[in-house]
Amino acid sequence: METPTNLKSNGSRLWDSLMEMAQHGATEKGGVCRLALTDIDRAGRDLFVSWCQEAGCTVSVDKMGNIFARRPGKNPDLPPVIMGSHLDSQPTGGRFDGVYGVLAGLEVVRSLNDLEIETDAPVEVAVWTNEEGSRFAPAMVASGVFAGVFDLDYGLSRADLDGKTMGEELARIGYAGDADASYKAHPVGAYFEAHIEQGPILEAEDKTVGVVTDCQGQRWYEITFTGVESHAGPTPMNRRKDALLGASRVVDAVNRIGMKHAPYACATVGLMQVFPNSRNVIPGRVFFTVDFRHPDDAVLAAMDAELRAEVDRIASEIGLQNDFEQIWYYAPVKFDADCVAAVRKGVEAGGFSTRDMVSGAGHDACYLAAVAPTGMIFIPCVDGISHNEIEDAKPEWVAAGADVLLHAVVETSRTIADKAC
Ligand code: HGY
Ligand code: MN
Ligand code: MN
């Protein structure tokens, strides 16, 4: 039996849910600040859970706080088709990053209810804890535990800058679940993540849906330069061990490495702490981070080697102690051909303009791809802006992505059943 080609979600219902969820952590500039495992994150989680229960789902939570809302299918023994993303945001985040994929999944459940479609395999909507890696590093840590990339103790021990751990914060907000946070305990038939592109390509080319074929790899580093804090007045320039001078030269080196490997390389220093951070003290210690990305693993490795060489050279020139650690790495990801094909069929069924994409941002789908057939759906965002409170999307884009997700999930649910026969 072919998947019906007239499957439509309810775009205005989805838009309304996005706007209601955006009230949790709403900022004056129209964005959201919903950092992982804060009380605001709990409120957003509670709202999502209540909506899923209203839609007839049963909800479970695992030991990393990952939430799974399950809608039964004809055959409960088949592994579910899971849709999902994240509810946590950046400190100056937007109303769509992550939450779009979660609520588009819920819209699929609501639409299946409206259409009275009983899928072959069950479907689930997932919320992955701490995708952003902003409050707790690294990013995607809970989907990483689920996929077996990190062990549970590593995940629960991730601490924020105030020393609070994920385990403590999960317990505090009431989302320290009982279920094992593992695909071995929670089989996945297939996983789909709908997300805003977070870049300018789709809108610039006037395309409504991106068929995501790959995602670039990432390397994250933490560097601490230690020199000698001393008086900004009497200390001669040639007798200084200025940690901030060193860090500043590394910031320039990071940018040069990124530019050297253009057009695909991305290289960013986003977090820096200066000690003692007093205007008339030469900084004695600086902690800062580096974020490298590239779709080609060999180039990412070359960037790594160049960074290490530059950091060593700069530290020794100024006489700084150099504590350098790569805290995170994942290789570029190619998404499952059948899932990509299911997304493409959903695009064709909806008649949407489209193009293939490589994701510049990391997503939980990058880890799910290691343990289950996985695909992603992109919709444009206004001016390609994300990780910014002005992040925006158009209702027609939001609706189109949900239609494609609905089609891909129904199609894949049937494929899973066919393969099981
Ligand atoms: O950094 C990323 O790519 C994602 O937004 N966590
Ligand atoms: Mn995201
Ligand atoms: Mn993000």
Side-chain angles (χ1 to χ4, degrees):
M1 183 193 82
E2 270 299 301
T3 303
T5 56
N6 58 349
L7 299 177
K8 300 298 281 179
S9 64
N10 181 329
S12 59
R13 176 173 57 193
L14 171 52
W15 184 269
D16 292 347
S17 295
L18 283 163
M19 295 306 111
E20 186 172 345
M21 181 63 77
Q23 295 314 304
H24 293 286
T27 65
E28 282 179 18
K29 290 183 185 173
V32 294
C33 176
R34 196 167 51 237
L35 292 180
L37 306 184
T38 56
D39 290 341
I40 295 173
D41 186 23
R42 167 173 48 192
R45 285 165 166 259
D46 290 350
L47 177 61
F48 169 73
V49 167
S50 69
W51 280 341
C52 291
Q53 289 167 337
E54 283 166 18
C57 294
T58 52
V59 176
S60 63
V61 180
D62 71 20
K63 290 171 180 168
M64 282 304 297
N66 299 316
I67 304 170
F68 300 92
R70 184 182 181 94
R71 181 180 191 268
K74 290 175 190 145
N75 181 342
D77 300 328
L78 291 175
V81 181
I82 301 182
M83 308 161 276
S85 192
H86 59 95
L87 287 178
D88 66 301
S89 81
Q90 288 288 335
T92 54
R95 298 173 296 164
F96 301 91
D97 177 0
V99 57
Y100 173 65
V102 171
L103 296 185
L106 173 60
E107 177 51 37
V108 166
V109 167
R110 288 168 167 170
S111 299
L112 290 171
N113 291 344
D114 293 347
L115 296 165
E116 296 181 350
I117 292 176
E118 188 184 23
T119 54
D120 295 280
V123 299
E124 293 184 358
V125 188
V127 173
W128 304 104
T129 302
N130 190 59
E131 185 280 342
E132 288 293 2
S134 177
R135 183 181 177 194
F136 303 97
M140 300 146 47
V141 67
S143 54
V145 170
F146 183 86
V149 174
F150 308 118
D151 65 32
L152 181 64
D153 289 345
Y154 172 87
L156 294 176
S157 65
R158 297 308 86 205
D160 65 11
L161 292 177
D162 297 326
K164 291 181 183 161
T165 67
M166 288 189 72
E168 290 162 351
E169 289 294 276
L170 279 168
R172 186 182 67 79
I173 68 167
Y175 276 91
D178 298 323
D180 282 346
S182 169
Y183 70 99
K184 292 174 184 167
H186 194 126
V188 185
Y191 176 75
F192 289 94
E193 183 162 352
H195 206 287
I196 52 170
E197 176 200 339
Q198 300 180 291
I201 297 170
L202 287 173
E203 188 189 39
E205 295 184 8
D206 197 19
K207 298 288 193 291
T208 304
V209 178
V211 178
V212 188
T213 57
D214 302 76
C215 184
Q216 60 183 352
Q218 295 194 43
R219 287 178 184 265
W220 280 15
Y221 306 87
E222 290 182 348
I223 302 170
T224 302
F225 273 173
T226 305
V228 177
E229 60 261 23
S230 51
H231 199 301
T235 310
M237 293 306 286
N238 64 355
R239 293 173 63 88
R240 296 178 174 211
K241 294 189 185 299
D242 184 339
L244 183 53
L245 174 62
S248 308
R249 288 181 180 169
V250 173
V251 170
D252 178 60
V254 164
N255 185 266
R256 281 188 281 107
I257 293 168
M259 299 302 274
K260 174 183 172 187
H261 294 283
Y264 299 116
C266 297
T268 312
V269 175
L271 187 158
M272 184 174 284
Q273 292 177 320
V274 180
F275 178 83
N277 210 30
S278 170
R279 67 193 68 215
N280 51 357
V281 177
I282 299 164
R285 187 175 73 248
V286 174
F287 169 82
F288 59 108
T289 64
V290 177
D291 174 325
F292 272 174
R293 308 192 189 201
H294 201 283
D296 179 330
D297 211 21
V299 175
L300 198 55
M303 293 168 68
D304 173 84
E306 291 160 24
L307 176 67
R308 292 169 190 268
E310 280 290 84
V311 169
D312 286 344
R313 177 184 63 79
I314 290 164
S316 61
E317 273 175 5
I318 300 173
L320 302 174
Q321 180 187 314
N322 165 25
D323 295 300
F324 180 100
E325 184 185 3
Q326 176 180 286
I327 66 157
W328 189 40
Y329 159 68
Y330 70 85
V333 173
K334 178 159 285 301
F335 290 120
D336 173 80
D338 291 340
C339 287
V340 171
V343 170
R344 225 185 283 285
K345 278 185 80 174
V347 169
E348 285 158 17
F352 301 118
S353 55
T354 186
R355 59 157 284 162
D356 287 6
M357 303 279 308
V358 174
S359 176
H363 302 284
D364 295 303
C366 296
Y367 278 147
L368 270 290
V371 297
T374 296
M376 285 197 77
I377 300 161
F378 271 178
I379 62 170
C381 52
V382 174
D383 298 334
I385 298 286
S386 181
H387 283 194
N388 183 317
E389 293 160 275
I390 65 169
E391 177 187 279
D392 203 359
K394 291 180 181 170
E396 58 269 30
W397 297 341
V398 162
D403 288 352
V404 172
L405 182 62
L406 172 59
H407 194 285
V409 165
V410 171
E411 166 91 5
T412 304
S413 152
R414 191 173 53 75
T415 310
I416 289 170
D418 291 348
K419 284 179 181 172
C421 292

